[in-house]
Amino acid sequence: MESTDTISLEKVSGETALMDCKFKTTSDDIGQLGIEWVLLPPDVQSKDTMLLMYSAGMVYDQYYGPVIGRIHLSSQDPASGDASVELTNLKPTDSGTYQCRVKKIPGNGNRKITLNVIVKPSTPRCYIEGTPENTRDITLKCLSSEGTTPMSYLWSKITDTKTLPQNAVLENGALIVKNLTDGNSGTYQCVVTNRAGTDQCIVNLSVVPPKNTSGVIAGAIIGTLLALLALAIILICWYRTRNKKKYEKEISHEIKEDVPPPKSRASTARSFASVGSNRSSLGSMSPSNLHEYSLKPHYDKIPSEEYERPPSQAPNLPSAKVAGPNLSRMGAVPVMIPAQSRDGSIV
């Protein structure tokens, strides 16, 4: 059996890797042929991962899930001296060290192959960072989200003179254009390259005059002053309305204090009782004392504070001009005059 040193193999993602493993037998190798392909771990203390086995004319390749269906022997007759395998549809995770082991008692041999799967740059995104105004500085960015490093970036102008401006500087894959002018306007192209391939994107740069910042500032100041003026007017109106309501409330309170309290029912009842009592006394007088009653001037009129009655309902008292003895000689008979309440009922 023959044994060789480790070889390196670099492939692009999506391609097929042919890992070569050819061998020769001698007359001393009389045992049964056996072929194994394993993936060696980065840690030497870990176990190898079986990928494919050939024994007694049979192929077994259902060991390691990530490569099932993608790895197979390249020769239809491995016993002829070809134990090479093909790994199709490569992925970045396929990178690693593979080992081919050939056994035929009493001889054996092996070969190591280091596979490196690289990824081409994904379609980059071109964009402008900054405000593209005259006399300003802007940066043209070019970003590729996928791709094996290192990646190189190449900027070019594909319109007008098709040359980069003299005031442009390339820094970490970005194109910095300082002190912009109208001549810097145009279409720029970025090409991203690595060992796996290239891709590109474009961006349009249109330089415009600077904005009138003084007008914007003046407008902001005027707007602020108008807002403060409106707030002041609102506060003044609120203050006047508040004072007006307070003044009306105080005037209303003073008017209520000047109004005398209403007479109570108890005092009115006492006035009615007093008037009734006087009338009862008047009705029980005899002709002899009726003269004395007529001479008392305070019974001619009831005080309005104690008893108020319309003139139409006032009682007719005996005239004070006729004396008691004269009434007797005229044949008058003394009678008792019933008392009358305020509402007209007899008491």
Side-chain angles (χ1 to χ4, degrees):
M1 297 290 295
E2 295 180 355
S3 177
T4 59
D5 297 331
T6 301
I7 61 175
S8 296
L9 183 64
E10 186 174 79
K11 287 291 181 179
V12 178
S13 177
E15 294 182 344
T16 297
L18 175 60
M19 291 181 281
D20 184 63
C21 181
K22 290 182 173 60
F23 63 93
K24 291 181 180 181
T25 60
T26 64
S27 57
D28 295 334
D29 300 327
I30 57 175
Q32 187 177 0
L33 177 66
I35 300 174
E36 294 180 354
W37 276 93
V38 298
L39 178 63
L40 301 178
D43 184 5
V44 294
Q45 296 181 352
S46 300
K47 294 182 179 181
D48 302 339
T49 301
M50 180 66 68
L51 303 178
L52 181 145
M53 178 183 291
Y54 174 84
S55 178
M58 298 293 295
V59 179
Y60 305 92
D61 56 4
Q62 302 295 313
Y63 293 104
Y64 184 52
V67 299
I68 291 178
R70 296 194 295 123
I71 188 170
H72 57 272
L73 292 169
S74 60
S75 175
Q76 297 294 330
D77 184 16
S80 62
D82 189 1
S84 302
V85 295
E86 292 181 350
L87 185 58
T88 62
N89 192 20
L90 289 174
K91 301 177 181 179
T93 54
D94 293 332
S95 299
T97 301
Y98 296 79
Q99 187 177 49
C100 171
R101 298 170 181 170
V102 179
K103 299 177 181 179
K104 192 172 183 180
I105 299 174
N108 61 75
N110 61 78
R111 168 176 282 185
K112 293 181 181 179
I113 300 175
T114 300
L115 176 64
N116 183 29
V117 180
I118 60 177
V119 180
K120 65 175 294 186
S122 61
T123 302
R125 182 173 69 92
C126 291
Y127 61 96
I128 300 174
E129 192 175 79
T131 304
E133 296 179 355
N134 276 301
T135 69
R136 287 180 176 268
D137 298 344
I138 56 99
T139 302
L140 302 182
K141 293 277 189 175
C142 182
L143 179 63
S144 185
S145 59
E146 294 181 358
T148 301
T149 56
M151 292 189 292
S152 62
Y153 298 84
L154 177 63
W155 281 93
S156 62
K157 189 177 181 182
I158 59 177
T159 57
D160 299 332
T161 60
K162 297 185 179 181
T163 57
L164 291 177
Q166 295 181 354
N167 52 344
V169 178
L170 187 63
E171 184 177 312
N172 297 327
L175 184 66
I176 302 174
V177 184
K178 299 183 178 180
N179 194 21
L180 283 173
T181 63
D182 293 337
N184 298 142
S185 299
T187 302
Y188 293 78
Q189 182 184 61
C190 173
V191 178
V192 186
T193 305
N194 69 355
R195 299 191 308 273
T198 64
D199 213 327
Q200 63 185 20
C201 64
I202 60 174
V203 59
N204 293 316
L205 174 62
S206 180
V207 181
V208 297
K211 295 180 181 179
N212 186 8
T213 56
S214 59
V216 175
I217 295 174
I221 294 174
I222 293 174
T224 303
L225 293 177
L226 290 176
L228 293 175
L229 179 61
L231 180 60
I233 293 174
I234 293 173
L235 291 176
I236 291 172
C237 293
W238 173 82
Y239 182 76
R240 288 183 177 178
T241 304
R242 179 174 174 271
N243 288 344
K244 182 178 180 181
K245 290 183 178 180
K246 183 178 179 181
Y247 175 75
E248 291 177 352
K249 185 176 180 181
E250 291 177 354
I251 293 298
S252 176
H253 182 68
E254 291 177 359
I255 293 174
K256 289 181 179 180
E257 289 182 349
D258 292 341
V259 176
K263 297 178 181 180
S264 63
R265 294 184 179 179
S267 61
T268 305
R270 286 196 298 270
S271 300
F272 290 166
S274 176
V275 172
S277 175
N278 292 337
R279 289 183 178 179
S280 299
S281 301
L282 180 62
S284 59
M285 287 183 179
S286 62
S288 59
N289 57 17
L290 184 60
H291 176 70
E292 298 177 0
Y293 171 78
S294 62
L295 297 178
K296 297 179 180 180
H298 62 274
Y299 281 103
D300 291 344
K301 187 176 181 180
I302 300 176
S304 59
E305 294 182 358
E306 296 181 358
Y307 183 69
E308 296 180 358
R309 181 186 299 270
S312 59
Q313 297 181 3
N316 296 323
L317 297 177
S319 177
K321 295 181 179 180
V322 182
N326 295 333
L327 290 174
S328 299
R329 286 194 297 267
M330 294 172 62
V333 180
V335 294
M336 179 179 291
I337 299 174
Q340 188 175 8
S341 64
R342 187 171 182 177
D343 56 359
S345 60
I346 298 174
V347 181

